[in-house]
Amino acid sequence: MTLSLRKTECAGKRAGPGNREALGGCATGVRRDDMRSPLPMIHAPDRQFEKSELLGHDARVVLNIGIAVLIASTASRSFVAFGAPALVDFVHIPLVLCAVAMSPRLIRASRACRRSCLWIGVLLVVSIASWLDSGGQLVRPFAEWILLAEPLLFGVALIAALLALPEPARLVHARRLELTVILIAVAQLVFGLAVLLRGGFGDHVQGTFIGLGSGAHIAGAVATVGAIAACARAFRDRQNRGRWLLLATALMLLTIAADAKQIIIAAIPAILLLILLGNIVVRGSARAQRRARYGALVLGVLFFASLFVIY
């Protein structure tokens, strides 16, 4: 029925008490039943789209900050060794806090991230309780907590950001992070080779963590993580699989040259669990996944067994 016909019908109705609903519709030329139509349901997809766009924007910002954190935390020690102010060595802390400040909506969208934040809060309570028992300056419990919780907060922010992205964008950003980790590990390899060529070995092989007491172990840990990332690339990139595996081997040899025994021991269960729980073959059948998983597991066991026999 057209709008003019509705107005004509309304004109014949009197403003009696029983015609209030009719008058409510006559004032606008729209029936009361039409006014009760679920308009929010019409705009719900738009609001959902805006929310997803907002989450995607926050996730991309957090991931970009995460890459900056990785670079700053591994390169700052070299800058300090070459004359930069010592404050540069702590620039990664405000960057991590900035990433966490950008990710509350992302964290709320993930149950696992919310649970992790709960336990990080428990760590803060324990730090405050320890300070109340032992005494000291007011800033002490918060400084201790931030130093202990920084890598956990960083990991929660990164995971929440990746989970908030749709599948194609998530893969792109995850591979960007993976490539960043590999490049940082290659930097440890370059610095380590420079020391090895000058006759250094063991604790002198510190990578980019120059002058740090535990620099050799940290460089070995970074190289081991880079080796794992390179192996992941090798399983996906069939054309360059040999190159990626060669790079992973070189990075593990750097860990051995740095004499980082603790890192090697910790890497054994970590790598074996990663092989057992990870999807090694992308877009492969269940049978191909199983064969690749057990094959990689055998190679890992043989590698570490031969390493302990020789080393």
Side-chain angles (χ1 to χ4, degrees):
M1 184 179 293
T2 62
L3 185 61
S4 60
L5 289 177
R6 287 182 183 176
K7 289 183 176 179
T8 303
E9 290 179 359
C10 292
K13 295 180 180 178
R14 295 181 178 180
N19 293 332
R20 288 179 181 176
E21 289 197 10
L23 287 176
C26 294
T28 58
V30 182
R31 289 185 177 180
R32 178 68 65 180
D33 294 337
D34 295 336
M35 294 175 68
R36 292 176 182 174
S37 60
L39 293 178
M41 295 296 294
I42 297 175
H43 300 288
D46 295 335
R47 288 199 298 270
Q48 186 68 24
F49 177 75
E50 291 177 0
K51 182 179 179 181
S52 63
E53 283 292 315
L54 184 60
L55 290 177
H57 174 267
D58 291 347
R60 287 187 289 270
V61 172
V62 169
L63 291 171
N64 289 332
I65 295 175
I67 292 176
V69 169
L70 291 174
I71 296 173
S73 59
T74 53
S76 58
R77 192 65 192 182
S78 298
F79 293 146
V80 173
F82 288 117
L87 189 63
V88 175
D89 203 16
F90 301 95
V91 71
H92 56 88
I93 296 178
L95 288 175
V96 170
L97 295 179
C98 181
V100 173
M102 288 289 298
S103 57
R105 283 189 294 262
L106 308 177
I107 293 173
R108 285 197 297 267
S110 171
R111 182 181 178 184
C113 293
R114 293 197 304 268
R115 187 180 300 174
S116 299
C117 288
L118 174 64
W119 287 110
I120 293 174
V122 171
L123 178 61
L124 176 60
V125 173
V126 172
S127 299
I128 295 175
S130 176
W131 168 71
L132 291 174
D133 180 66
S134 59
Q137 298 178 349
L138 181 61
V139 73
R140 179 178 176 181
F142 301 100
E144 290 179 349
W145 176 77
I146 210 63
L147 291 176
L148 291 173
E150 182 199 5
L152 303 177
L153 291 170
F154 181 56
V156 168
L158 286 184
I159 293 172
L162 288 173
L163 292 178
L165 292 172
E167 189 67 26
R170 184 187 306 168
L171 290 175
V172 171
H173 285 277
R175 290 177 182 178
R176 284 182 59 193
L177 284 171
E178 182 185 71
L179 182 60
T180 302
V181 169
I182 294 174
L183 292 177
I184 292 173
V186 170
Q188 312 307 313
L189 182 61
V190 172
F191 278 76
L193 287 175
V195 175
L196 290 172
L197 292 176
R198 291 187 299 175
F201 191 79
D203 291 340
H204 298 286
V205 183
Q206 298 178 338
T208 58
F209 303 93
I210 303 172
L212 196 62
S214 57
H217 293 81
I218 299 177
V222 174
T224 301
V225 174
I228 295 173
C231 288
R233 285 262 174 167
F235 283 112
R236 294 197 307 267
D237 190 358
R238 294 184 177 181
Q239 295 181 351
N240 300 312
R241 179 171 295 176
R243 297 177 182 177
W244 288 115
L245 291 176
L246 182 62
L247 176 61
T249 304
L251 292 172
M252 287 303 301
L253 290 176
L254 176 67
T255 305
I256 297 172
D259 199 22
K261 297 183 180 68
Q262 296 90 334
I263 305 302
I264 297 174
I265 294 174
I268 296 174
I271 292 177
L272 296 181
L273 283 175
L274 185 64
I275 293 173
L276 286 173
L277 301 178
N279 293 327
I280 296 177
V281 179
V282 180
R283 300 185 185 92
S285 63
R287 183 178 181 183
Q289 283 279 355
R290 187 167 53 253
R291 291 175 58 185
R293 185 177 293 116
Y294 289 136
L297 185 63
V298 171
L299 290 177
V301 171
L302 291 177
F303 173 78
F304 285 112
S306 60
L307 179 62
F308 272 92
V309 170
I310 299 172
Y311 186 54

